[in-house]
Amino acid sequence: RKEVEQDPGPFNVPEGATVAFNCTYSNSASQSFFWYRQDCRKEPKLLMSVYSSGNEDGRFTAQLNRASQYISLLIRDSKLSDSATYLCVVNHDYKLSFGAGTTVTVRA
Amino acid sequence: GAGVSQSPSNKVTEKGKDVELRCDPISGHTALYWYRQRLGQGLEFLIYFQGNSAPDKSGLPSDRFSAERTGESVSTLTIQRTQQEDSAVYLCASSLTSGANTDTQYFGPGTRLTVL
């Protein structure tokens, strides 16, 4: 079983729509959680950390459910520039485990 | 300030040849990581350096892979006798410290390795 599993998508949504997706992780001892964004043929970049109480960063909302071991990301009012692959990332000690990514395409 | 840099950006080699990939971390970052990303897949952890501690090599897929780091500076990843399955993007990341739950890893642009 992979440490981090994500629905690969693609999620194809119109501008202005809301899109949400999640991932699950297998290691219950995981300590911290992140969403990274990766554009085509580019390196991953941190989008946001995910906290147990849930957190928002502009149009992005992340939720963590430790009991069920899943993490979600919601994007409101989608922009064309949100088109990317979103990587669910879980930290245990110093090691990050990456999901394979969820591809989001926002169309005009 | 300068981010993580990697060289070369692209490398095409023949099966059986050795390759060396270089990573320059952000100045002052004590932790350095190497990952591999095959086409359409997630990142696989390869190796981790933290200061002068012994590296964690648990992610290296075979003994053909090795990496070195001098102090808290440049790291090189060497792949000997390359195979076609080694074709991937090799990403390097650095972070200010390690073990702290929220230390952000900053990635370099990667080296795209193609083994013919």
Side-chain angles (χ1 to χ4, degrees):
Chain A
R1 183 185 172 188
K2 292 181 182 176
E3 290 193 50
V4 181
E5 303 222 35
Q6 291 184 249
D7 179 347
F11 289 79
N12 192 328
V13 300
E15 266 189 298
T18 295
V19 59
F21 43 88
N22 57 38
C23 77
T24 56
Y25 60 94
S26 60
N27 187 346
S28 60
S30 298
Q31 297 152 314
S32 52
F33 311 88
F34 309 90
W35 284 102
Y36 275 70
R37 171 190 170 129
Q38 187 172 28
D39 292 294
C40 188
R41 300 176 78 88
K42 298 285 190 181
E43 72 273 21
K45 292 185 179 177
L46 179 67
L47 178 67
M48 60 195 298
S49 300
V50 187
Y51 303 115
S52 296
S53 54
N55 50 296
E56 232 177 70
D57 183 358
R59 297 180 293 106
F60 296 83
T61 301
Q63 297 276 355
L64 167 64
N65 185 320
R66 282 189 185 266
S68 301
Q69 294 180 208
Y70 80 77
I71 307 152
S72 65
L73 181 67
L74 182 145
I75 308 173
R76 286 188 304 278
D77 187 24
S78 302
K79 310 291 184 193
L80 294 175
S81 58
D82 295 334
S83 297
T85 297
Y86 292 85
L87 306 176
C88 179
V89 183
V90 172
N91 177 41
H92 179 67
D93 290 334
Y94 50 79
K95 284 186 184 175
L96 295 184
S97 295
F98 288 77
T102 296
T103 299
V104 173
T105 302
V106 181
R107 62 182 189 274
Chain B
V4 178
S5 61
Q6 292 186 244
S7 61
S9 53
N10 281 284
K11 176 73 178 177
V12 180
T13 190
E14 293 178 348
K15 179 180 171 182
K17 297 283 176 101
D18 297 352
V19 296
E20 190 172 277
L21 314 179
R22 176 186 169 110
C23 171
D24 282 89
I26 294 172
S27 177
H29 280 195
T30 59
L32 185 148
Y33 309 76
W34 282 98
Y35 297 89
R36 176 171 72 177
Q37 187 173 28
R38 290 189 166 123
L39 188 64
Q41 298 187 23
L43 277 71
E44 301 171 66
F45 167 80
L46 296 178
I47 188 168
Y48 157 74
F49 296 90
Q50 169 56 37
N52 294 317
S53 302
D56 176 350
K57 304 179 181 181
S58 60
L60 294 178
S62 78
D63 59 9
R64 296 186 295 104
F65 288 71
S66 62
E68 292 184 351
R69 187 185 187 194
T70 305
E72 295 183 356
S73 60
V74 172
S75 175
T76 55
L77 176 69
T78 301
I79 309 173
Q80 296 177 308
R81 304 182 302 282
T82 52
Q83 304 294 313
Q84 288 181 332
E85 69 255 25
D86 299 335
S87 296
V89 176
Y90 289 82
L91 289 155
C92 174
S94 70
S95 67
L96 194 57
T97 58
S98 70
N101 289 342
T102 56
D103 279 344
T104 300
Q105 293 190 18
Y106 295 88
F107 284 83
T111 293
R112 186 173 299 276
L113 175 67
T114 303
V115 182
L116 301 176

